[in-house]
């Protein structure tokens, strides 16, 4: 055991309890409860499709609805888990309670599950979805950036933390329409330092919901010459994000 572990004993990244030495990096019981996304997945955003209603389609409703915008948006994405149960609290603690130590677990899981898919997309750079600087100052870090760095290190892919910039304070906009929200988000994304010849990018974030944020990031990248934009997110949530 390292000295550091005595000061900050490792916690289960799912339930937050302190782990005993023999329990390793995560409680097996907590791990088994994780809700992994299962096929069939939306061919575009990676969200599980809900068969039943005689659905034979390959895309989810959100992607179908937004298909007229696809050329200017992301090309494909993958997620690991449904945003429900323990992982919900885990991610909230990760973002708001300083549990940066969960990064390793998340990144390892991301690479195990989607490493081959990431390779097949051959991104030249991983780009974390930016936080507004004020939010970043309050939290002290951008969780998407921690994730991107950890995944990038494991897969030896460069990480660009100063490519995208979020310039406006965007409050959660529950009241405004989807279209307005997209418009506001798009206006809030800015390119800071675009590496030359950047053609293929993988965006990284913790949660993907309706895709508006991802669309805004992808939109500005494509406007600036990036040809293929994919994303990887830990969780798929449902609602207004
Ligand atoms: Zn646990
Ligand atoms: Zn979709």
């Amino acid at each position: 055991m390292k000295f550091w572990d005595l000061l900050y004993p490792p916690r289960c990244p799912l339930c937050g309890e302190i782990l005993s030495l023999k329990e390793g990096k995560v409680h097996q019981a907590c791990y088994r409860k994780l809700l992994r996304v299962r096929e069939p997945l939306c061919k575009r955003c990676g969200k599980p499709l809900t068969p039943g209603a005689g659905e034979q389609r390959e895309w989810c409703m959100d992607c179908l609805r937004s298909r007229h915008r696809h050329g200017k948006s992301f090309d494909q994405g993958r997620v690991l888990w449904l945003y429900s149960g323990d992982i919900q609290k885990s991610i909230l603690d990760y973002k708001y309670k300083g549990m940066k130590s969960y990064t390793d677990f998340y990144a390892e899981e991301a690479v195990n599950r989607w490493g081959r898919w990431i390779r097949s997309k051959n991104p030249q750079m991983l780009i974390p979805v930016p936080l507004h600087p004020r939010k970043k100052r309050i939290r002290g870090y951008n969780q998407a950036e921690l994730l991107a760095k950890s995944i990038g290190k494991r897969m030896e892919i460069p990480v660009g933390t100063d490519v995208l910039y979020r310039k406006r304070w965007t409050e959660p906009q529950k009241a405004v329409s989807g279209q307005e929200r997209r418009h506001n988000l798009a206006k809030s994304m800015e390119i800071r330092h675009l590496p030359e010849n950047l053609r293929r990018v993988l965006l990284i974030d913790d949660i993907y919901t309706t895709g508006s944020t991802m669309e805004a990031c992808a939109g500005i990248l494509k406007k600036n010459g990036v040809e293929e934009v994919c994303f990887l997110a830990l969780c798929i949530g449902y609602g207004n994000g």
Side-chain angles (χ1 to χ4, degrees):
M1 187 182 271
K2 284 175 266 170
F3 175 66
W4 195 252
D5 291 343
L6 292 171
L7 285 176
Y8 297 99
R11 287 175 183 274
C12 170
L14 296 170
C15 71
E17 298 297 319
I18 291 175
L19 289 160
S20 72
L21 216 50
K22 65 173 189 335
E23 282 169 326
K25 291 186 205 163
V26 59
H27 290 132
Q28 284 314 304
C30 295
Y31 190 69
R32 278 193 297 270
K33 279 194 292 178
L34 271 174
L35 298 168
R36 292 175 176 74
V37 296
R38 286 184 203 290
E39 306 275 349
L41 304 176
C42 169
K43 286 239 178 332
R44 180 167 176 261
C45 75
K47 190 183 297 182
L49 296 171
T50 41
E55 273 181 12
Q56 296 293 317
R57 59 193 163 84
E58 301 198 312
W59 287 2
C60 70
M61 285 314 290
D62 285 331
C63 287
L64 278 175
R65 266 195 294 265
S66 66
R67 64 185 176 278
H68 58 284
R69 294 194 303 272
H70 287 184
K72 296 175 199 142
S73 179
F74 63 82
D75 298 283
Q76 208 181 34
R78 287 295 178 256
V79 297
L80 280 87
W81 307 301
L82 303 183
Y83 189 55
S84 168
D86 285 350
I87 195 71
Q88 213 161 345
K89 184 180 177 294
S90 169
I91 300 256
L92 289 173
D93 288 352
Y94 185 51
K95 280 159 91 150
Y96 302 112
K97 293 202 175 154
M99 298 308 292
K100 291 191 265 185
S101 61
Y102 294 178
T103 306
D104 275 349
F105 170 77
Y106 294 150
E108 194 177 313
E109 288 293 307
V111 171
N112 286 344
R113 175 76 197 263
W114 293 118
R116 280 178 63 182
W117 174 79
I118 295 172
R119 286 276 179 249
S120 77
K121 296 292 155 193
N122 195 20
Q124 294 162 290
M125 184 170 270
L126 307 182
I127 298 184
V129 168
L131 266 188
H132 185 280
R134 196 166 119 201
K135 283 193 186 172
K136 189 171 172 181
R137 211 160 47 237
I138 295 167
R139 284 185 208 173
Y141 57 93
N142 172 1
Q143 72 284 354
E145 199 174 304
L146 299 180
L147 272 175
K149 283 181 178 161
S150 186
I151 295 170
K153 199 167 158 192
R154 282 156 211 270
M155 299 197 66
E156 297 181 336
I157 304 172
V159 177
T161 54
D162 60 352
V163 177
L164 288 178
Y165 180 75
R166 203 149 167 169
K167 65 182 170 210
R168 279 153 50 118
W169 176 256
T170 41
E171 290 291 346
Q173 297 160 349
K174 298 261 186 240
V176 303
S177 69
Q179 205 179 349
E180 261 177 276
R181 189 187 147 73
R182 262 195 311 279
H183 185 70
N184 289 348
L185 269 167
K187 278 200 305 190
S188 76
M189 290 300 171
E190 216 174 57
I191 295 274
R192 269 281 164 94
H193 300 286
L194 191 71
E196 251 179 83
N197 301 319
L198 188 62
R199 297 288 174 263
R200 294 176 313 278
V201 155
L202 182 71
L203 293 165
I204 306 283
D205 208 357
D206 50 349
I207 306 174
Y208 175 94
T209 42
T210 60
S212 331
T213 311
M214 232 42 112
E215 270 186 32
C217 295
I220 187 104
L221 286 166
K222 287 202 165 173
K223 225 186 236 174
N224 284 275
V226 179
E227 286 159 6
E228 195 175 356
V229 180
C230 294
F231 77 82
L232 181 80
L234 296 177
C235 292
I236 177 91
Y238 294 89
N240 198 354

